[in-house]
Amino acid sequence: MVENFQGKVVLVTGASSGIGAETARQFASLGASLAITGRNAENLQNVAKDCGQKNVLIVVGDVSVEEDAERIIRETIDKFGRLDVLVNNAGILENGGIKDTSLAQYDRIMAVNMRAVYHLTMLAVPHLIKTKGNIVNLSSVAGTRSFQNILSYCISKSALDQLTRCTALELAADGVRVNAVNPGVISTPIFERAGMQDQAVKEYLEGSKETHPLGRVGQPSEVANAIVFLASDRASFITGATLPIDGGRQLTCSRATVKQ
Ligand code: NAD
């Protein structure tokens, strides 16, 4: 059986970059109709082009803004009349441990990585129940292991793992599956966006060859492969899973830090 998303509608948040963009491209290649959302219209246009543009809806918005989240779901349903898969991918990373963090940082990270996912999930569930659809959340190895210097990020991803399990339990009777992927270090612009300088990113990615037992960082396509699998009928008996896509990172001791 090959994954086939003909006639299915997939919503990917943070689809303008990195893992989200690659996930959108993979779903498109398997016949899905797509709603892609993010804050950068130009990048979303480029991703839509890669997806063949047919059956692609672009919704520009910030997932942490309540009206935007409502509009993302509303425009998706207005355009396609249904929703089969929600991929909660949008996320941010920032440096900071308990000695140098702030409540403002905690609020920023939780607003995007957790509260927005909670909100979009609430809004999407009535539609997913109708289609017996499913949700894939983008968590992290930082949700299941402890890392220095990215405290709020770790907390946000742990909370997301628990959201995944609790909603999976609640929605199982409705035929709606909920899963998460937990990547290790993946080569995307997230580190630059977190404020790391180019050289620091280079060194961090190089150092990750040591911390990931498979001896390298991952690529966005390797995470997208797993997202597509979990969203497909091939994963029909999988719910509440938090799947490491991390070259074995979760097996090793976790002393690596994200440096500026
Ligand atoms: P990325 O920075 O390339 O992509 C993140 C996307 O989310 C971008 O399109 C960004 O614009 C969008 N986004 C951020 N805040 C948003 C907001 N408020 N509203 C709408 N869109 C918003 O990073 P990525 O590596 O592709 O990250 C995707 C997901 O994977 C994130 O949830 C991240 O935490 C998770 N992840 C990444 C890694 C990694 O090493 N790259 C590892 C584990 C988990």
Side-chain angles (χ1 to χ4, degrees):
M1 181 172 45
V2 177
E3 290 98 341
N4 184 347
F5 289 89
Q6 292 285 347
K8 301 256 166 113
V9 176
V10 180
L11 168 58
V12 183
T13 69
S16 54
S17 173
I19 295 166
E22 182 56 25
T23 299
R25 288 191 278 264
Q26 287 204 15
F27 275 116
S29 75
L30 295 166
S33 298
L34 277 169
I36 56 174
T37 178
R39 292 163 305 174
N40 185 317
E42 196 182 330
N43 287 352
L44 287 172
Q45 288 287 359
N46 289 333
V47 174
K49 253 184 230 155
D50 294 344
C51 293
Q53 254 162 357
K54 211 171 88 228
N55 293 333
V56 181
L57 170 71
I58 294 174
V59 189
V60 179
D62 181 331
V63 289
S64 67
V65 173
E66 290 178 26
E67 300 75 45
D68 286 8
E70 284 158 11
R71 187 167 48 79
I72 288 164
I73 299 293
R74 192 173 58 245
E75 288 188 15
T76 302
I77 299 300
D78 285 352
K79 163 91 177 161
F80 297 114
R82 61 186 286 151
L83 179 65
D84 295 275
V85 179
L86 169 63
V87 181
N88 282 311
N89 167 77
I92 55 169
L93 172 72
E94 285 185 31
N95 255 346
I98 198 65
K99 289 186 259 180
D100 55 359
T101 185
S102 63
L103 288 179
Q105 176 179 68
Y106 175 88
D107 287 343
R108 268 195 309 275
I109 292 179
M110 292 302 275
V112 179
N113 292 8
M114 185 55 220
R115 191 174 188 275
V117 177
Y118 195 95
H119 189 207
L120 279 168
T121 301
M122 277 167 53
L123 297 170
V125 156
H127 304 288
L128 293 171
I129 288 175
K130 284 187 200 151
T131 57
K132 297 202 185 302
N134 69 82
I135 300 172
V136 182
N137 292 325
L138 260 290
S139 182
S140 168
V141 65
T144 57
R145 295 293 182 273
S146 310
F147 292 88
Q148 295 185 70
N149 209 29
I150 49 170
L151 176 62
S152 293
Y153 184 79
C154 289
I155 292 168
S156 72
K157 295 301 187 181
S158 287
L160 185 55
D161 284 350
Q162 192 65 317
L163 175 71
T164 301
R165 287 186 287 265
C166 292
T167 49
L169 181 59
E170 180 182 342
L171 298 173
D174 297 299
V176 174
R177 299 183 297 106
V178 187
N179 292 294
V181 290
N182 296 58
V185 172
I186 309 297
S187 179
T188 75
I190 198 169
F191 306 104
E192 283 89 353
R193 281 190 223 281
M196 288 170 75
Q197 304 301 316
D198 287 357
Q199 187 55 30
V201 174
K202 234 169 138 186
E203 285 168 16
Y204 181 64
L205 295 181
E206 192 58 31
S208 295
K209 292 180 180 170
E210 299 285 320
T211 54
H212 291 62
L214 285 183
R216 62 178 177 84
V217 298
Q219 295 303 317
S221 61
E222 295 177 292
V223 183
N225 289 341
I227 294 169
V228 167
F229 163 68
L230 287 171
S232 76
D233 290 343
R234 285 203 198 203
S236 51
F237 206 48
I238 302 177
T239 196
T242 49
L243 181 64
I245 318 288
D246 67 353
R249 179 70 180 104
Q250 101 290 162
L251 304 170
T252 65
C253 91
S254 51
R255 281 220 20 111
T257 59
V258 177
K259 296 197 190 99
Q260 287 288 4

